[in-house]
Amino acid sequence: LPRKQRIEVCFTPAVYHKFHNNETNVVVVDILRATSAICTAFMNGVKSIIPVSTIEEALKYKQQGFLVAAERDGIVLDFADFGNSPYNFTAERVKGKTIVYSTTNGTQAVNMAKEANKIIIGSFLNLQSITNFLASDGHDVVVFCSGWKDRFSLEDSIFAGALVESLINTNHFETICDSSLAAGDLWSIAKTDLVTYLQKAAQRSRLKKNNLDDVIEYCLTPNQTDIIPIYYTGSLISLDNCENDNIFIQRKIKLKI
Amino acid sequence: LPRKQRIEVCFTPAVYHKFHNNETNVVVVDILRATSAICTAFMNGVKSIIPVSTIEEALKYKQQGFLVAAERDGIVLDFADFGNSPYNFTAERVKGKTIVYSTTNGTQAVNMAKEANKIIIGSFLNLQSITNFLASDGHDVVVFCSGWKDRFSLEDSIFAGALVESLINTNHFETICDSSLAAGDLWSIAKTDLVTYLQKAAQRSRLKKNNLDDVIEYCLTPNQTDIIPIYYTGSLISLDNCENDNIFIQRKIKLKI
């Protein structure tokens, strides 16, 4: 019997370097709200999303004519076309377009993980479809919680626990990592009533303070889409658009040269 | 009403800089085994413990004639007098002595926290007595989990949850920090049968592999002592030996000059 695929959970970007491995598939998670918003954008037909880490980069793209979504601490940046709410990424705005996206935590995590094997975007919205993909793709998995400014975030960790459970249930995975075990246990408490459980989360309070918490239930509702946003040479695209995985083969060749 | 004291939990040394504050009391935690061993040493009459971060420092002290306890990855270093098991710190060996101590995770956390207001050593052995001290001392509290090589550790986090619960129960404390909430929830699952719950912890497996897991039940047994080891100008001493807190007043004056 071959060994099972392994799952590890990284609770904050500050420790991602401890988990990084070129051969590992990474799931970037920022439930409230970046990765839920990215899934929504692809559901609404966005062509690609360029994740940028700094405000300066986002501004530079804006000056080049790109549509830019950008926020810091939940607040839309003044030069941006819109902010971080999934409800901003309507078909009317994003269909067929390439947009540039910069957030407090999530898009920076994507850029930190970019040397991993495959980087995909996870949220409750696509939980089952990323489970199926990760099981069939055959690599070990790191669930990379974006957290809040290098701190532990309850909603990202709960989702990590949901994904750990879902992956273990495929029978392809095992974990011996303490953070995966903890995430799974937190999920076991939270799952009977997610919305109530996350009432106490700090990020929920931050959003509420700014009247931005209208998306909470939406972001916690699982399996709304089969779309898997995946990172490819600087952009997020939909896995559907990757014919027979060839672009990844090309990418690997490119990385070896 | 004055605001309540606040509790935060720091899951790994990699993020301690996000929690550090000169006015905060820090509880350093390394349940398996450093902080349990330090409490035991004071129970057995050690005069003081010099925590050192590097093997080189430990060796230098050894060459100066100090008694040295030192391990890496659970294994006693060859030049050391003994290692990291609480059972090593017998009255016969340590009573009335100053010893030098260097471990994989715990003693480094002590040294990282040394600019905080007061740094005390926490374990299940002195859970109630540190609760009483922290409530009466009046400062905010950071529970600093030593973890394992900058990773999340289940046993340290469970203890953090026990301490959060114990502090909240005094009515002096509140928390809005996601990691405190998560630690409390993990503790609520673990506390009905701690030993069984921690069967799955990675550190337990590491200790078992090296036949070093004979101390697990001992390290998980609460309230065996009233002793509070506290950091003072480079050493850990027993709070009992601090007459009327004067040494801390002196220390503050010293820091201001």
Side-chain angles (χ1 to χ4, degrees), chain B residues 139-195:
Chain B
H139 289 259
D140 292 342
V141 169
V142 171
V143 186
F144 183 177
C145 299
S146 302
W148 180 260
K149 299 184 180 179
D150 279 344
R151 287 177 180 234
F152 176 94
S153 138
L154 205 51
E155 66 278 8
D156 292 349
S157 306
I158 295 307
F159 173 78
L163 183 54
V164 168
E165 182 186 80
S166 185
L167 292 171
I168 296 282
N169 285 345
T170 66
N171 260 325
H172 288 266
F173 287 90
E174 64 179 3
T175 181
I176 52 157
C177 148
D178 276 7
S179 39
S180 304
L181 297 168
D185 283 341
L186 292 172
W187 168 244
S188 74
I189 296 179
K191 67 180 173 185
T192 51
D193 187 351
L194 261 191
V195 176

Side-chain angles (χ1 to χ4, degrees), chain B residues 21-69:
Chain B
N21 182 319
N22 288 340
E23 293 304 313
T24 297
N25 287 344
V26 173
V27 183
V28 175
V29 177
D30 185 0
I31 298 300
L32 297 177
R33 301 170 294 172
T35 62
S36 301
I38 291 168
C39 290
T40 304
F42 283 99
M43 288 159 73
N44 289 330
V46 78
K47 187 181 161 201
S48 67
I49 296 177
I50 303 170
V52 303
S53 298
T54 66
I55 296 173
E56 293 66 32
E57 288 171 275
L59 183 58
K60 207 177 282 181
Y61 276 107
K62 176 69 191 170
Q63 288 159 348
Q64 291 169 27
F66 280 87
L67 199 61
V68 172

Side-chain angles (χ1 to χ4, degrees), chain A residues 41-58:
Chain A
F42 282 99
M43 287 159 73
N44 288 331
V46 78
K47 186 180 161 203
S48 67
I49 296 177
I50 303 170
V52 303
S53 298
T54 67
I55 295 173
E56 292 68 31
E57 286 171 277

Side-chain angles (χ1 to χ4, degrees), chain A residues 113-186:
Chain A
K114 66 186 175 191
E115 300 298 323
N117 182 54
K118 290 176 186 167
I119 305 101
I120 65 173
I121 299 299
S123 72
F124 281 103
L125 283 66
N126 64 352
L127 174 58
Q128 188 59 52
S129 76
I130 61 175
T131 300
N132 300 344
F133 171 73
L134 294 166
S136 67
D137 197 57
H139 288 259
D140 292 342
V141 169
V142 172
V143 186
F144 183 178
C145 299
S146 302
W148 181 260
K149 298 183 179 179
D150 278 345
R151 287 178 180 234
F152 177 94
S153 138
L154 206 49
E155 67 278 8
D156 292 349
S157 306
I158 296 307
F159 174 77
L163 183 54
V164 167
E165 182 186 80
S166 184
L167 291 171
I168 296 283
N169 285 345
T170 66
N171 260 325
H172 288 268
F173 286 91
E174 64 178 4
T175 180
I176 51 158
C177 149
D178 275 8
S179 39
S180 304
L181 297 168
D185 283 341
L186 292 171

Side-chain angles (χ1 to χ4, degrees), chain B residues 94-248:
Chain B
V94 306
K95 192 166 189 174
K97 293 193 181 144
T98 291
I99 65 175
V100 171
Y101 194 22
S102 184
T103 72
T104 311
N105 305 292
T107 55
Q108 299 174 49
V110 173
N111 284 324
M112 285 177 72
K114 67 188 175 191
E115 300 299 323
N117 182 53
K118 290 176 187 168
I119 305 100
I120 65 173
I121 299 297
S123 71
F124 282 103
L125 283 66
N126 65 352
L127 173 60
Q128 188 59 52
S129 74
I130 61 174
T131 299
N132 301 343
F133 171 73
L134 294 167
S136 66
D137 197 57
H139 289 259
D140 292 342
V141 169
V142 171
V143 186
F144 183 177
C145 299
S146 302
W148 180 260
K149 299 184 180 179
D150 279 344
R151 287 177 180 234
F152 176 94
S153 138
L154 205 51
E155 66 278 8
D156 292 349
S157 306
I158 295 307
F159 173 78
L163 183 54
V164 168
E165 182 186 80
S166 185
L167 292 171
I168 296 282
N169 285 345
T170 66
N171 260 325
H172 288 266
F173 287 90
E174 64 179 3
T175 181
I176 52 157
C177 148
D178 276 7
S179 39
S180 304
L181 297 168
D185 283 341
L186 292 172
W187 168 244
S188 74
I189 296 179
K191 67 180 173 185
T192 51
D193 187 351
L194 261 191
V195 176
T196 304
Y197 182 81
L198 287 175
Q199 292 282 3
K200 61 185 177 181
Q203 175 68 346
R204 181 160 185 152
S205 309
R206 284 183 212 109
L207 292 173
K208 198 168 187 176
K209 212 171 92 184
N210 296 318
N211 281 320
L212 296 170
D213 65 340
D214 58 331
V215 297
I216 307 242
E217 284 200 47
Y218 172 80
C219 293
L220 300 179
T221 305
N223 305 327
Q224 302 181 50
T225 179
D226 289 334
I227 281 171
I228 299 173
I230 188 159
Y231 184 86
Y232 176 62
T233 58
S235 293
L236 296 164
I237 58 175
S238 171
L239 187 66
D240 289 342
N241 296 335
C242 310
E243 279 172 25
N244 301 322
D245 234 2
N246 273 337
I247 59 171
F248 292 106

